[in-house]
Amino acid sequence: MSESSGQGAEPVAPGFETISKSSWMGFIKNLATFTGDLSTLSAPSFILSGTSLLEYMSYWFEFPELFVSIVDHEHPKDRMLAVLKWYMAGLSREYASRNKSYGTEKKPLNPILGELYYGSWDSSKGKVELVAEQVSHHGPVSAARVHCKEAGISVDTHNMYRSGFSGRTVYVNQIGQIRIHLDKFNETYYLTLPNISLEGLWYMTPYIELYGSTYIVSTSNYITKIDYSGRGYFSGTKNSFKATVYEKGANPDYVAEGVWTGTSKVTDTKSKTTSPFLDYGTMDAIPILPRPYSEVGEWETRHVWGKVSSALARNAYDIVSVEKSTVEQSQRDMRKREQEEGVEWKRRYFEWKPDESSARNLLAQAVQEIIEPGYWVYVGDTQPECKPGDHPVRRT
């Protein structure tokens, strides 16, 4: 919900100046009358960003030093605190980096099945490398593998979205996990993803808030619960959080709280000392270095959406509609051929792996709801005959 005082119209957000009020309200009306998951709703071109949702997987890792330094801590409670710090910094990149002024949030492009993305970051311990693939389209599921061989740390992560509209707000339920493994300690962490609300739609100033709780559970029996709250109609601080780190069955060791897009502090509950935790405004994010465009094939995200992104940058919405429809129709044609031939799309890097480990079950107990019975695990390149960013078949 926008924080309008009712004493005048709110300014139109940057990026929406070229959109008429009637077009915007027509879009809101479509949201309000649409039944089903919003991922199946064809959004008007003016609400789209030029970035595929698959690329969002990289935003979690734009502070690579925080990521690789998780392995530097000898005590499991301190490793858990380091995981929490990386996670909270990642939230800022994932959900607010494109919209610091709160008013320019747009809908990412829905990745096509088989879309690929590659990149890396340099760190003090070695190169951090990412491989991402869209492993499902209906419903949409993105999977990624991030690995720093020298640090002995790896991530398998996937997410799926279910979304709907209620009143004045779009609500997004994120289904999936981040799974971190530390080789040195043979330790694994399971992290859940926050639920999202997209506020400010009625005033053409859309911005993201997080709500509810997320959890981090490790095989060392340490758990973190993170509670989110935002600015309500009358009170509250936007983007607030409180995180409690504790060993299962024991009192808290640490409590971190503050604003996940700003500053936060952490208290050691044993020594009663409080110290700075994160100051997002002073942190320099390092964007991913994508694999060179000339080295990847037509299934790499920049190849898939290049013409659409270019047209969006020029506000050429008629061209956006044409190019986007071309991509989507080629996918429908491919699915039809597969159905006729009785074949199933073969994923290049990931496969679904059941998981009934003690840590996964502990996560389910902590969250007190049903957790997915597995995860998308990186299995290496199953199509080495193809260049990176390609598949044995073409879109058209």
Side-chain angles (χ1 to χ4, degrees):
M1 176 179 293
S2 172
E3 287 70 52
S4 172
S5 63
Q7 299 185 9
E10 292 199 354
V12 175
F16 291 92
E17 301 93 336
T18 62
I19 304 170
S20 69
K21 186 71 176 289
S22 60
S23 295
W24 183 264
M25 294 312 295
F27 166 61
I28 298 300
K29 183 178 179 180
N30 285 342
L31 287 178
T33 57
F34 185 78
T35 57
D37 193 284
L38 294 181
S39 65
T40 63
L41 175 67
S42 182
S45 297
F46 61 75
I47 196 66
L48 298 175
S49 78
T51 305
S52 170
L53 191 60
L54 190 66
E55 295 182 54
Y56 281 44
M57 308 294 277
S58 71
Y59 295 140
W60 286 102
F61 302 91
E62 290 189 340
F63 298 108
E65 290 301 324
L66 286 181
F67 177 61
V68 298
S69 66
I70 292 171
V71 302
D72 292 342
H73 303 275
E74 292 301 320
H75 196 284
K77 70 175 182 180
D78 296 322
R79 290 194 294 277
M80 174 60 86
L81 188 64
V83 170
L84 172 63
K85 178 176 284 191
W86 167 79
Y87 181 81
M88 298 311 300
L91 287 181
S92 298
R93 299 303 298 166
E94 181 76 6
Y95 303 114
S97 61
R98 297 160 307 285
N99 191 13
K100 288 185 178 180
S101 63
Y102 294 100
T104 57
E105 191 65 45
K106 290 193 174 185
K107 182 183 181 299
L109 298 166
N110 288 334
I112 64 172
L113 179 62
E115 187 173 326
L116 299 163
Y117 189 51
Y118 310 82
S120 63
W121 300 262
D122 290 326
S123 78
S124 60
K125 288 182 167 59
K127 191 172 291 293
V128 179
E129 298 182 276
L130 173 143
V131 176
E133 180 174 6
Q134 190 70 9
V135 294
S136 176
H137 186 68
H138 294 298
V141 182
S142 303
R145 165 78 164 192
V146 180
H147 182 223
C148 179
K149 180 179 179 180
E150 294 81 1
I153 183 171
S154 60
V155 169
D156 286 299
T157 179
H158 71 275
N159 59 19
M160 175 180 176
Y161 298 84
R162 291 177 182 163
S163 54
F165 183 79
S166 177
R168 297 168 176 246
T169 302
V170 170
Y171 293 98
V172 182
N173 180 20
Q174 294 198 97
I175 303 165
Q177 301 167 17
I178 301 172
R179 182 179 179 272
I180 304 175
H181 184 74
L182 310 181
D183 294 346
K184 178 181 177 181
F185 304 100
N186 191 26
E187 188 174 66
T188 303
Y189 295 79
Y190 291 80
L191 300 81
T192 60
L193 301 170
N195 291 322
I196 301 169
S197 62
L198 187 61
E199 311 283 355
L201 291 171
W202 282 89
Y203 301 96
M204 294 178 70
T205 57
Y207 64 90
I208 282 176
E209 280 276 22
L210 307 182
Y211 67 95
S213 303
T214 57
Y215 292 82
I216 308 172
V217 171
S218 92
T219 51
S220 67
N221 264 355
Y222 272 85
I223 300 170
T224 295
K225 182 186 179 186
I226 310 164
D227 296 312
Y228 304 95
S229 60
R231 180 155 56 185
Y233 195 84
F234 297 106
S235 64
T237 301
K238 188 178 291 183
N239 299 340
S240 296
F241 80 94
K242 182 176 181 179
T244 304
V245 178
Y246 59 96
E247 191 172 10
K248 182 183 178 182
N251 292 325
D253 291 284
Y254 298 109
V255 176
E257 55 189 327
V259 176
W260 55 267
T261 51
T263 60
S264 53
K265 59 186 179 180
V266 60
T267 299
D268 184 322
T269 60
K270 303 299 191 294
S271 65
K272 308 297 183 184
T273 57
T274 299
S275 58
F277 189 54
L278 285 170
D279 184 351
Y280 182 63
T282 65
M283 298 167 62
D284 293 324
I286 302 175
I288 192 171
L289 179 63
R291 187 169 292 190
Y293 187 83
S294 60
E295 295 181 7
V296 292
E298 66 171 17
W299 289 81
E300 197 269 352
T301 185
R302 292 166 296 167
H303 283 266
V304 173
W305 298 110
K307 293 180 180 179
V308 174
S309 297
S310 176
L312 282 167
R314 305 191 308 271
N315 293 328
Y317 296 130
D318 289 344
I319 297 176
V320 171
S321 297
V322 171
E323 296 295 345
K324 183 169 176 284
S325 294
T326 298
V327 173
E328 292 169 343
Q329 186 59 49
S330 70
Q331 286 292 293
R332 286 191 286 268
D333 292 344
M334 183 173 290
R335 301 289 85 78
K336 182 180 178 181
R337 289 197 302 270
E338 290 170 350
Q339 186 175 23
E340 292 171 348
E341 296 169 4
V343 297
E344 183 178 349
W345 177 261
K346 183 179 179 182
R347 297 160 186 88
R348 181 162 179 175
Y349 294 101
F350 296 89
E351 68 178 28
W352 180 258
K353 178 181 178 181
D355 184 0
E356 290 293 341
S357 67
S358 59
R360 179 258 176 196
N361 293 332
L362 180 61
L363 176 65
Q365 294 170 15
V367 178
Q368 293 187 336
E369 59 185 51
I370 297 174
I371 299 297
E372 287 184 293
Y375 58 97
W376 286 95
V377 62
Y378 178 77
V379 294
D381 190 352
T382 64
Q383 299 165 14
E385 71 280 7
C386 298
K387 69 185 297 186
D390 228 332
H391 291 283
V393 294
R394 300 177 63 84
R395 288 200 311 274
T396 57

